Amino acid sequence: MIVTALALEHDAVVDARGVSTSHVWRGNKVHVGRVGTLDVLVFPAGGMGNVGAAQAATLAIGVWNPASIMLVGVAAGMQDTGEDLRRGDVIVPTQIIGYELGKIRPEGFERRYEVMQSSWELLQTARGLEAKDWALSVTAPRPDGQNGRVIPRAFFGPVYSGEKVVTDPRIVEELQTAWGHQGIGLEMESFGVALAAWRGGPGFLMAKAIMDFADPGKDDAWKVYAAESAARFAIAVLKNTSIDSEPDRPQAIPIASPQRFSGQIKVAFCRRLADSWKDLADLFEVSPYERGRFERGDEARSLWEWLEVREKLPALLKVLLAIERKDLADLMKN
């Protein structure tokens, strides 16, 4: 699954991937298609910010259970890293540093950093890409013309993730000083998506391209080029990864709206399920964290509602037969 925050980023990914099928799901237009051996869904988070991105990623993971999830788009770069970072280059985090949490003291704000990791497998795939795998495919015109280095490059290192658009060099200096001037970029969604992936199971990787340097001269001149650069890089990662295609992954359902079940069916199902809820939870890969939130003594109802929110109820028919509860499968059919 590829998650994007902005419509421009979404369109760049869809164009870079090629042939796909679009669906409207809960008001969002999502695209499904093949990338190499993988089935890939492009999902719009619907806006900027870690909170919204985390919510969107959690919802999408719960519904489609992807093997991996990538966040793709545009970001700000850091100019004091000792590296030749330029607009249009792709940044890939080895660490995602959340910097918004903190404590307000009389003498000022004390940041309490939180750190998430990228998927080792996806990160190694990204490190192994060459320019011919992605950079030479970018077709958007460079705002700086053809002078100087015109082929984008990829850089790897810590990336800062917060809730605000930054144009203040003092904030950049504060972050860089705290992290030994190792950070290569700053953006607004990776910590939220990484947290959702960490709790939900799939591997995570971010690939964003530099459109500015978080300074007062920030503008949108490089936005189109950066969006395509990041999209081309992300698609190349997926084409070259060794992740196996899993057409029968649990919880993966068709995007078309599933059927609904009446309250009478729900009541009868929950009364008769008994301890079989544990087998269903295993087959639907409900995490221990989620099971712990089920109401004690009423786990069957909690499981039904967990499946209902994720639009997984139609999948019950097949799974009930697998645990030899044909009686309940017949109840739902009728």
Side-chain angles (χ1 to χ4, degrees):
M1 177 178 293
I2 296 177
V3 174
T4 59
L6 304 175
L8 178 75
E9 299 166 338
H10 181 86
D11 293 343
V13 171
V14 172
D15 290 343
R17 187 183 57 186
V19 178
S20 64
T21 303
S22 65
H23 303 267
V24 176
W25 184 80
R26 293 191 179 183
N28 294 310
K29 180 174 284 189
V30 299
H31 290 79
V32 183
R34 300 285 289 182
V35 175
T37 63
L38 303 176
D39 292 313
V40 178
L41 180 139
V42 185
F43 184 79
M48 299 187 297
N50 280 302
V51 174
Q55 189 277 333
T58 299
L59 173 63
I61 291 169
V63 172
W64 291 296
N65 189 28
S68 298
I69 186 167
M70 292 188 70
L71 174 68
V72 181
V74 298
M78 302 286 104
Q79 291 183 306
D80 61 348
T81 63
E83 300 281 358
D84 184 27
L85 271 76
R86 304 191 184 189
R87 290 175 175 84
D89 288 343
V90 172
I91 55 174
V92 180
T94 53
Q95 296 175 300
I96 301 100
I97 302 169
Y99 65 87
E100 293 286 3
L101 191 64
K103 184 175 184 177
I104 299 177
R105 297 178 177 274
E107 59 271 23
F109 182 68
E110 177 186 289
R111 296 191 189 277
R112 295 182 176 177
Y113 297 100
E114 302 175 279
V115 179
M116 302 296 295
Q117 300 288 332
S118 297
S119 160
W120 176 255
E121 184 173 9
L122 291 174
L123 185 59
Q124 293 306 102
T125 301
R127 288 185 185 276
L129 294 183
E130 300 178 8
K132 62 181 178 62
D133 297 321
W134 66 279
L136 303 181
S137 301
V138 179
T139 60
R142 291 180 63 89
D144 62 352
Q146 296 299 308
N147 298 320
R149 175 163 68 79
V150 297
I151 298 177
R153 294 170 54 188
F155 292 86
F156 301 83
V159 170
Y160 308 112
S161 186
E163 288 296 312
K164 308 170 187 69
V165 175
V166 176
T167 61
D168 187 349
R170 293 173 298 178
I171 299 298
V172 174
E173 177 60 25
E174 177 191 348
L175 297 174
Q176 286 289 66
T177 299
W179 286 85
H181 292 268
Q182 298 180 54
I184 60 172
L186 186 152
E187 55 78 69
M188 298 173 59
E189 292 83 33
S190 63
F191 188 84
V193 179
L195 183 62
W198 178 63
R199 291 181 175 179
F204 170 76
L205 188 71
M206 183 203 91
K208 290 193 175 186
I210 297 171
M211 62 170 283
D212 60 65
F213 289 99
D215 55 26
K218 176 184 178 71
D219 59 37
D220 292 341
W222 281 81
K223 203 168 197 176
V224 172
Y225 185 92
E228 184 182 354
S229 182
R232 297 287 182 186
F233 185 89
I235 295 302
V237 170
L238 296 180
K239 285 182 177 178
N240 287 275
T241 185
S242 60
I243 295 173
D244 295 327
S245 179
E246 298 181 59
D248 296 321
R249 277 183 66 79
Q251 295 182 235
I253 63 168
I255 293 181
S257 298
Q259 66 193 84
R260 302 290 181 180
F261 296 92
S262 69
Q264 289 180 321
I265 295 294
K266 175 181 178 179
V267 170
F269 177 92
C270 294
R271 287 177 176 175
R272 292 164 56 179
L273 182 62
D275 284 344
S276 293
W277 77 266
K278 299 176 183 177
D279 294 332
L280 287 181
D282 286 341
L283 291 176
F284 279 105
E285 295 188 351
V286 182
S287 70
Y289 169 77
E290 293 288 351
R291 294 188 200 201
R293 300 174 64 185
F294 287 177
E295 184 176 348
R296 188 177 298 275
D298 200 14
E299 290 87 356
R301 189 181 307 276
S302 295
L303 177 60
W304 176 285
E305 292 169 354
W306 188 92
L307 295 169
E308 186 174 33
V309 167
R310 292 160 178 79
E311 298 189 352
K312 301 297 181 185
L313 289 178
L316 272 174
L317 297 174
K318 180 179 179 181
V319 178
L320 286 169
L321 295 176
I323 65 171
E324 300 181 350
R325 291 301 304 265
K326 184 176 181 298
D327 60 317
L328 292 177
D330 290 340
L331 170 70
M332 297 186 71
K333 287 180 182 178
N334 297 328

